[in-house]
Amino acid sequence: MLEKIQKMDQRIIYLVLLIALSFPMFRPLGLPVSIGQTSQDLYDFIDQLDPGSVVVLSIDYSPGAAAQIHPQTIAITKHLLSKKIKIVYMGLVQYASQFTTDAIAKAGDYNPVYGQDYVDLGFKPGEEATVSAMSKDIHATFVTDSDGTAIAELPMMADIKTASDIDLVIAFDSGGTRHWYVGQMQALYGTPVGCALNSVNVTNTMPYYDAGQVIGLLNGLRGAAEYEALIGDPGEATINLDSISSGHLVIILFILFGNIAYFGLRNSNKRKEA
Amino acid sequence: MRFAQAITLVFALILLMQFFLEVPAIETAGGHLTSWNIVIAAFAMGLAAFNLIRIHLKRVQLKRGNWISSAILLIVLVVQTFVGLYFGDNSAQYKVFFDGIISPLGATMYAMLAFWIASAAFRAFKARTLDATILLCVGIIVMLGNAPIGEIIWSQFPALRSWLMTVPAMAAVRALYIGAAIGGIAVGVRVLLGIERGHLGGGE
């Protein structure tokens, strides 16, 4: 029996995990979500900003990480629009404009006016050099927006010229762009930086948070669900978080079964040898 | 080689000095150099695309290896580039490709990790040694602390996870960052002094 467990066909593991992940999508479990301190800090910082403040959302994730980070983008966009905060979307990864368009479309009935309430500067290559250059002169770095319109023609951009004109930058990051914002904007110009990350990147961002260089951060899908709870608008992340619960539980059970089988077999072999 | 080294030294000094000296000429020069970096990065993307086309075109011509995949790559590359240039990358046409191909493929690649991790964890995550046992326990605590079900099993899982993330894990990450930063400074000084020449290409 123990040997059978240890040599279990991996397709059975795949099937059980698939069922565990899919079931809550059809029958949500509605498990309560407590709010983590890092999410609360980011929410509080945005909530105390005055209407008309400027927030840069750097959309730096790939489609692979979108399941975790895109719900964060939507939730934060909703919060910013509800507070009448001006949003500058941009990206250091090439998918920025596609995710921006989708986030604005899913943000609800705020009807933001392009050029007055938000702009989309699109993708700009250059990585850390781009962050450095835009900190000194946004108009020289992003000459046009993602549609090719000169940003000098966008009314909202008239007063947004350097890092000093930005009240908060949030890096929606599945790679390493947050390090550039911390290094080139927060450290040099004191511009507050927040992060919205996939879970795997949280550990290596905590030193910035602890040092006060990152004012708050969202941790993967859980962070998105926490933010949805904070703005009182449960959405995609809240539903999908149940799948995380069941998925994690199944993986832990497999690990435990694997260990029980391993130690059971080892003891039985030892007894046979004795 | 010496000329290239001299250029490296001059440019690096300009970029360094702009952080320490408030001289308008140096700041302007530093700004220009940073812009050049962005332009070079944009050209590098074009060069990468050109190189990709060259390699896969050759493979298709010679019908070598998995040439059908190369042909598909080239077709998609040409079609997507055409749609992006002709209709614009915010157009409905581009969105069809993004939502219909790029997004689901990327999500699928990432989602498959969950299945591989589950299978690998079942087979390899065994408490064979003290180190492995610690890793196993910490992994389970962090997983349960990150999922709402963990709080239902034991209300202290999130607090325990938070402690693990903010004390032992953060100490390790800080050590890593400080080590990498010191290493970066050392490499920078070697480049400035002309000891490190790997970036100039060629050599042994």
Side-chain angles (χ1 to χ4, degrees), chain A residues 12-22 246-248 250-251 254, chain B residues 111 113-119:
Chain A
I12 295 172
I13 300 172
Y14 294 165
L15 184 67
V16 173
L17 187 61
L18 181 68
I19 293 167
L21 290 171
S22 321
S246 54
H248 280 198
V250 162
I251 291 175
F254 272 124
Chain B
L113 278 177
F115 294 91
W116 288 329
I117 286 171
S119 176

Coordinates of all heavy atoms in Angstrom, one line a residue, chain A residues 12-22 246-248 250-251 254, chain B residues 111 113-119:
Chain A
I12 N -2.5 11.3 -11.6 CA -3.5 11.3 -10.5 C -3.3 12.6 -9.7 O -4.3 13.3 -9.3 CB -3.4 10.1 -9.5 CG1 -3.7 8.8 -10.3 CG2 -4.3 10.2 -8.3 CD1 -3.4 7.5 -9.6
I13 N -2.0 13.0 -9.4 CA -1.7 14.2 -8.7 C -2.3 15.4 -9.5 O -2.9 16.3 -9.0 CB -0.2 14.4 -8.5 CG1 0.3 13.2 -7.6 CG2 0.1 15.7 -7.8 CD1 1.8 13.1 -7.5
Y14 N -2.0 15.4 -10.8 CA -2.5 16.5 -11.7 C -4.0 16.6 -11.6 O -4.6 17.7 -11.5 CB -2.1 16.3 -13.1 CG -0.6 16.3 -13.4 CD1 -0.1 15.9 -14.6 CD2 0.3 16.9 -12.4 CE1 1.3 15.9 -14.8 CE2 1.6 16.9 -12.7 CZ 2.2 16.5 -13.9 OH 3.5 16.5 -14.1
L15 N -4.7 15.4 -11.7 CA -6.2 15.4 -11.7 C -6.7 15.9 -10.4 O -7.7 16.8 -10.4 CB -6.7 14.0 -12.0 CG -8.2 13.8 -12.2 CD1 -8.7 14.6 -13.4 CD2 -8.6 12.4 -12.2
V16 N -6.2 15.5 -9.3 CA -6.7 15.9 -8.0 C -6.5 17.4 -7.8 O -7.4 18.1 -7.4 CB -6.0 15.1 -6.8 CG1 -6.4 15.7 -5.5 CG2 -6.3 13.6 -6.9
L17 N -5.3 17.9 -8.2 CA -5.0 19.3 -8.1 C -6.0 20.1 -9.0 O -6.5 21.2 -8.6 CB -3.6 19.6 -8.5 CG -3.1 21.0 -8.2 CD1 -3.2 21.4 -6.8 CD2 -1.7 21.2 -8.7
L18 N -6.2 19.6 -10.2 CA -7.1 20.3 -11.1 C -8.5 20.4 -10.5 O -9.1 21.5 -10.6 CB -7.2 19.5 -12.5 CG -8.1 20.2 -13.6 CD1 -7.5 21.5 -14.1 CD2 -8.3 19.2 -14.7
I19 N -9.0 19.3 -10.0 CA -10.3 19.4 -9.3 C -10.3 20.4 -8.2 O -11.2 21.2 -8.0 CB -10.7 18.0 -8.8 CG1 -10.9 17.1 -10.1 CG2 -12.0 18.0 -8.0 CD1 -11.1 15.6 -9.7
A20 N -9.3 20.3 -7.3 CA -9.2 21.2 -6.2 C -9.2 22.7 -6.6 O -9.8 23.5 -6.0 CB -7.9 20.9 -5.4
L21 N -8.5 23.0 -7.7 CA -8.4 24.4 -8.2 C -9.7 24.8 -8.8 O -10.1 26.0 -8.7 CB -7.2 24.5 -9.1 CG -5.8 24.4 -8.6 CD1 -4.8 24.4 -9.7 CD2 -5.5 25.6 -7.6
S22 N -10.3 23.9 -9.6 CA -11.5 24.3 -10.3 C -12.8 24.4 -9.5 O -13.6 25.2 -9.7 CB -11.8 23.3 -11.5 OG -10.6 22.9 -12.0
S246 N -7.7 25.9 -1.7 CA -7.9 24.4 -1.9 C -6.6 23.8 -2.5 O -6.2 22.7 -2.2 CB -9.1 24.1 -2.8 OG -9.1 24.9 -3.9
G247 N -6.0 24.6 -3.4 CA -4.8 24.2 -4.1 C -3.6 24.0 -3.1 O -3.0 22.9 -3.1
H248 N -3.5 24.9 -2.2 CA -2.4 24.8 -1.2 C -2.7 23.6 -0.3 O -1.7 22.9 0.0 CB -2.3 26.1 -0.4 CG -1.6 27.2 -1.0 ND1 -1.1 28.3 -0.4 CD2 -1.3 27.4 -2.3 CE1 -0.5 29.1 -1.2 NE2 -0.6 28.6 -2.4
V250 N -4.3 20.9 -0.9 CA -4.0 19.6 -1.7 C -2.5 19.3 -1.8 O -2.1 18.2 -1.5 CB -4.7 19.6 -3.1 CG1 -4.1 18.6 -4.0 CG2 -6.2 19.4 -2.9
I251 N -1.8 20.4 -2.1 CA -0.3 20.2 -2.2 C 0.3 19.8 -0.8 O 1.1 18.8 -0.8 CB 0.4 21.5 -2.7 CG1 0.0 21.7 -4.2 CG2 1.9 21.4 -2.6 CD1 0.5 23.0 -4.8
F254 N -0.5 16.2 -0.2 CA 0.3 15.3 -1.0 C 1.7 15.2 -0.4 O 2.3 14.1 -0.3 CB 0.5 15.8 -2.5 CG -0.6 15.3 -3.4 CD1 -1.4 16.1 -4.1 CD2 -0.8 13.9 -3.5 CE1 -2.4 15.7 -4.9 CE2 -1.8 13.4 -4.4 CZ -2.6 14.3 -5.1
Chain B
A111 N 0.7 28.5 -15.2 CA -0.2 27.7 -14.5 C 0.3 26.2 -14.4 O 0.1 25.5 -13.4 CB -1.6 27.7 -15.1
L113 N 3.1 25.3 -13.8 CA 4.1 25.2 -12.7 C 3.4 24.6 -11.5 O 4.1 23.8 -10.8 CB 4.6 26.6 -12.4 CG 5.7 27.2 -13.2 CD1 6.0 28.6 -12.7 CD2 7.0 26.4 -13.0
A114 N 2.2 25.0 -11.3 CA 1.5 24.5 -10.1 C 1.4 22.9 -10.1 O 1.6 22.3 -9.1 CB 0.0 25.0 -10.0
F115 N 1.2 22.4 -11.3 CA 1.1 20.9 -11.4 C 2.5 20.3 -11.2 O 2.6 19.2 -10.6 CB 0.4 20.5 -12.7 CG -1.0 21.0 -12.8 CD1 -1.3 22.2 -13.4 CD2 -2.0 20.2 -12.4 CE1 -2.6 22.7 -13.4 CE2 -3.3 20.6 -12.4 CZ -3.6 21.9 -12.9
W116 N 3.4 20.9 -11.8 CA 4.8 20.3 -11.7 C 5.3 20.4 -10.2 O 5.9 19.5 -9.7 CB 5.8 21.1 -12.6 CG 5.6 20.8 -14.0 CD1 5.2 19.6 -14.6 CD2 5.8 21.7 -15.1 NE1 5.1 19.7 -15.9 CE2 5.5 20.9 -16.3 CE3 6.3 23.0 -15.2 CZ2 5.6 21.5 -17.6 CZ3 6.4 23.5 -16.5 CH2 6.0 22.8 -17.7
I117 N 5.0 21.6 -9.6 CA 5.4 21.7 -8.2 C 4.7 20.7 -7.3 O 5.3 20.1 -6.4 CB 5.1 23.2 -7.7 CG1 6.1 24.1 -8.3 CG2 5.1 23.3 -6.2 CD1 5.8 25.6 -8.1
A118 N 3.4 20.5 -7.6 CA 2.6 19.5 -6.7 C 3.3 18.1 -6.9 O 3.5 17.4 -5.9 CB 1.2 19.5 -7.2
S119 N 3.6 17.7 -8.1 CA 4.2 16.4 -8.4 C 5.6 16.3 -7.8 O 5.9 15.3 -7.1 CB 4.2 16.2 -9.9 OG 4.8 15.0 -10.2

